[in-house]
Amino acid sequence: MLQITDLQVEQKMWPLLRQAFRPMFLLGASFSAIAMLLWILALAGTISLPVYGNVLVWHAHEMIFGFVAAIVVGFLLTAVQNWTGMRATHGRALGILTTVWLLGRLALLFGANLPAWLVAGIDLLFLPLSAILLAVPLIKVKQQRNLFFVPVLFLLTFCNALMHYGLVSERFDIQQLGSQNAVWLVALLMAIVGGRVIPMFTANGTMTTKAEPIVWLDRIGLGSLWLVFILNITLFSAQLPDVVMAAIYAISAIALGIRCFRWRIWITLRVPLLWSLHIAYWFIPLGLALFALRELGFNISNSIALHAITAGAMGNMILAMIARVSLGHSGRPLQPKAIMSLAFLLVAVAALSRVLLTWLVPELSMSWFMFSAAAWILAYLIYVVVYLPILITPRPDGRPG
């Protein structure tokens, strides 16, 4: 419990800086809509962006290390307060962290004529700083279970550095090594965190019995996904026969698919905050299955398989989670406005059109890109408009956060 003096300080603090989810979710969601709009306009040749590097690298980098990184950090620096019982990052420290993130986005967007070392230096600061802020309370209370998130943030920093190095050295393969392995790391985070919370949320939200984990199944699913990351980041995947990599992708897809099936999406159809999470998780085995088919020689591009994870799993899970966390941690009932159901559907449609329609009807790819981008933008703008009053105002119960 905070002392009375602490509560008085809290009440004077700008609500947006009282917990990390507030600025990170609001700015991250807003940025995703803006960045997607700029990307699709640049792709269509309507505008020219003064970005650092080139527009393709900017899009890949910013959707991962701009948008996704902001949401991941906002989630972790909020959750650590529940995990440890200690007051999480807030106030001036949170303001500095948010400013670092904003400067990174501006440097990448307007960095065409800036020195590469300056842009990279600004951009690479956010995740290590977040890792330190996360580590301090975890170490203080010796909370071992969640300490692994700290090295994951440093691994994401390494992937980010690879993208910058690949750009400076004009090595597209190194750029892709950084961006693609960052995607696998975030997929791992989603698989781990989703496995912890989705069965619990489902049981609580539907008043049914929780689907208890099957330890060996989880170890196979998550272990093979870890193996995917390790083999790709070390480049050993290129040395293995295609059929071996296909088997690893397929094993992870099947195990995670069975895992998700056991959570019974069909009992969640009347609860938008639940079915949206289930749909998001299903995109992980879908993406892995597409990578398996690609390794076996099917006509599936790396971009299509990768977007099942990014646009599909990440896009859907982020929207579902921030819609839920923003309500719960602001002291409000877990009852989103009805229009959020439309937002959840739109981001799912955006992913399906970007992945499946682009694959099945490739001659209309540009049309699918446009349609997908429009659905994504609208989905995240709905979140911003609906949740803006929640994120910038104090909790109604007067508690800190």
Side-chain angles (χ1 to χ4, degrees):
M1 291 290 290
L2 293 179
Q3 301 297 320
I4 297 300
T5 53
D6 296 326
L7 288 173
Q8 290 173 347
V9 171
E10 186 87 19
Q11 289 167 358
K12 293 178 182 178
M13 190 186 303
W14 188 19
L16 190 65
L17 296 181
R18 293 186 183 182
Q19 278 221 49
F21 78 91
R22 292 176 177 271
M24 291 292 106
F25 289 3
L26 178 60
L27 294 176
S30 301
F31 177 73
S32 81
I34 295 168
M36 187 64 72
L37 177 61
L38 293 176
W39 157 246
I40 207 67
L41 290 176
L43 190 64
T46 305
I47 62 172
S48 178
L49 296 175
V51 298
Y52 167 74
N54 59 69
V55 173
L56 181 63
V57 173
W58 175 80
H59 170 67
H61 182 279
E62 290 301 86
M63 294 308 288
I64 300 169
F65 297 107
F67 164 53
V68 174
I71 304 303
V72 168
V73 167
F75 174 80
L76 291 176
L77 291 184
T78 299
V80 74
Q81 186 162 303
N82 287 348
W83 297 339
T84 64
M86 294 182 61
R87 188 70 169 93
T89 304
H90 65 287
R92 182 178 299 177
L94 181 55
I96 292 171
L97 183 67
T98 303
T99 301
V100 169
W101 178 86
L102 280 169
L103 289 175
R105 310 295 58 79
L106 292 172
L108 267 292
L109 180 57
F110 299 106
N113 298 314
L114 293 176
W117 65 264
L118 178 61
V119 176
I122 294 171
D123 180 55
L124 288 169
L125 185 58
F126 175 68
L127 284 170
L129 184 57
S130 302
I132 293 169
L133 292 171
L134 178 65
V136 169
L138 289 172
I139 293 172
K140 278 186 177 180
V141 302
K142 300 180 180 178
Q143 227 272 13
Q144 303 295 330
R145 183 170 186 247
N146 295 304
L147 196 58
F148 84 96
F149 288 115
V150 175
V152 167
L153 291 179
F154 281 111
L155 281 172
L156 282 171
T157 304
F158 175 67
C159 291
N160 193 4
L162 284 176
M163 285 202 74
H164 284 285
Y165 177 76
L167 184 62
V168 171
S169 61
E170 299 182 350
R171 290 281 303 274
F172 176 76
D173 57 327
I174 296 178
Q175 293 174 27
Q176 189 177 49
L177 184 68
S179 62
Q180 192 140 332
N181 282 287
V183 170
W184 288 126
L185 270 175
V186 177
L188 271 163
L189 286 177
M190 292 188 297
I192 293 167
V193 174
R196 289 184 185 180
V197 302
I198 294 176
M200 177 181 63
F201 290 166
T202 300
N204 294 342
T206 60
M207 305 299 290
T208 57
T209 303
K210 177 186 172 185
E212 294 298 332
I214 299 174
V215 175
W216 63 265
L217 181 66
D218 289 358
R219 286 177 177 171
I220 290 173
L222 297 176
S224 53
L225 192 50
W226 269 113
L227 187 58
V228 165
F229 167 71
I230 293 168
L231 290 174
N232 278 291
I233 195 67
T234 59
L235 299 178
F236 279 124
S237 58
Q239 310 303 319
L240 294 174
D242 292 344
V243 68
V244 173
M245 283 304 301
I248 295 170
Y249 285 124
I251 288 169
S252 189
I254 292 168
L256 293 178
I258 294 172
R259 190 189 198 206
C260 193
F261 180 80
R262 295 184 63 251
W263 300 338
R264 301 165 295 171
I265 187 175
W266 54 90
I267 68 174
T268 71
L269 299 182
R270 294 185 179 181
V271 188
L273 285 179
L274 293 179
W275 58 253
S276 54
L277 281 173
H278 282 254
I279 287 174
Y281 202 96
W282 271 110
F283 272 101
I284 301 176
L286 173 62
L288 288 162
L290 290 174
F291 272 104
L293 293 174
R294 172 177 164 77
E295 292 288 341
L296 292 175
F298 285 77
N299 185 26
I300 300 171
S301 70
N302 181 76
S303 176
I304 286 174
L306 194 68
H307 275 81
I309 306 292
T310 55
M314 292 183 194
N316 283 272
M317 188 165 291
I318 284 174
L319 189 61
M321 286 296 288
I322 64 178
R324 183 185 190 94
V325 171
S326 298
L327 292 175
H329 283 274
S330 65
R332 290 167 172 84
L334 296 178
Q335 298 172 353
K337 292 186 181 297
I339 196 171
M340 284 305 299
S341 296
L342 174 61
F344 297 146
L345 286 172
L346 281 169
V347 77
V349 167
L352 289 171
S353 60
R354 177 61 181 85
V355 176
L356 295 182
L357 294 181
T358 303
W359 176 32
L360 296 174
V361 194
E363 61 270 20
L364 296 177
S365 290
M366 193 60 192
S367 297
W368 301 136
F369 291 168
M370 293 289 186
F371 178 71
S372 176
W376 178 287
I377 292 165
L378 183 55
Y380 276 91
L381 284 180
I382 288 173
Y383 169 83
V384 171
V385 171
V386 170
Y387 281 82
L388 177 63
I390 294 172
L391 296 171
I392 64 173
T393 56
R395 290 174 60 110
D397 58 12
R399 294 175 58 190

